[in-house]
Amino acid sequence: GVAGAQQILLRAAVASLLNAAHPDVNFSLTVAEVIDKVNTALATGDRARMLDLAEELDALNNAGCPLQGGPPRDRGGKGGGDHGRQGPGNQGRQGPGGR
């Protein structure tokens, strides 16, 4: 439902905020842009719109990691999104969803 979409969006948003705020990560959005896009999507209450933005942010979050010298590492076979990957928003962290 909508609550699940909100949670998915906010999870992607946190990673995006970390990426946007990091001086060594060339993230395509600023902190203010991430906040504005997320607030706008949440305010609509539209599940599809929230999930679309979450997907967009997830793609940006997993575009590659200059801090680790290359593209996200695939740990293989976990399925679904960025599970088991390390990208700019989840360097060196492991746990549910690879974050």
Side-chain angles (χ1 to χ4, degrees):
V2 172
Q6 291 169 331
Q7 182 179 18
I8 292 167
L9 174 55
L10 290 171
R11 186 179 305 126
V14 168
S16 293
L17 288 170
L18 292 170
N19 289 329
H22 197 292
D24 295 330
V25 175
N26 185 19
F27 199 65
S28 61
L29 299 173
T30 66
V31 168
E33 290 170 329
V34 172
I35 292 170
D36 184 54
K37 285 176 172 272
V38 171
N39 284 340
T40 299
L42 290 171
T44 68
D46 183 334
R47 181 180 185 276
R49 186 161 176 191
M50 288 181 232
L51 292 175
D52 286 345
L53 179 56
E55 185 176 325
E56 175 187 335
L57 294 176
D58 190 58
L60 293 173
N61 290 332
N62 289 292
C65 182
L67 302 178
Q68 293 182 351
R73 193 167 47 141
D74 187 353
R75 295 185 187 267
K78 302 276 183 180
D82 66 335
H83 293 261
R85 288 199 207 168
Q86 291 179 292
N90 52 3
Q91 301 92 338
R93 295 184 206 115
Q94 294 179 353
R99 294 185 185 192

